[in-house]
Amino acid sequence: MTAGDAHARARWARRGDIALRVVAAVPLGYAAASLWAMAIARLLPGDRAEASVTGALIALALCAVAAIWAFAARSGWRALWTLALAGGVAAVITWTSIAATGRV
């Protein structure tokens, strides 16, 4: 393997890492933030409309935090799996709340 081949492989590896980070930041960050909006809205006491608006506002900030995290993480895979795990936790909280109260 020549030095040029090694440089080309490193360049493609870097591009793949950036692509993973973009996938983690944009669609996965939005999905995780939306799941947290639902979970927060279900957990907050009070009126449903107020809880929904509060959950949506918090999720807007979480979406920005997810994008920042995706590019601050040590690797693209770490960003991807961390955001997937965060979304999974929110989904479990939402599902458990729906199953416990019976109210959608």
Side-chain angles (χ1 to χ4, degrees), residues 6-20:
H7 181 65
R9 284 185 184 207
R11 187 175 41 213
W12 279 107
R14 180 71 178 143
R15 287 179 183 171
D17 187 60
I18 291 172
L20 274 177

Side-chain angles (χ1 to χ4, degrees), residues 25-95:
V26 180
L28 192 57
Y30 179 77
S34 296
L35 287 167
W36 276 107
M38 287 189 288
I40 291 168
R42 303 254 337 145
L43 295 176
L44 287 176
D47 187 36
R48 288 184 188 177
E50 288 178 15
S52 296
V53 170
T54 303
L57 290 173
I58 292 171
L60 183 64
L62 288 177
C63 197
V65 168
I68 291 168
W69 166 249
F71 287 95
R74 226 181 271 176
S75 71
W77 286 109
R78 180 177 292 237
L80 194 76
W81 288 112
T82 303
L83 290 174
L85 182 65
V89 168
V92 167
I93 291 170
T94 303
W95 181 81

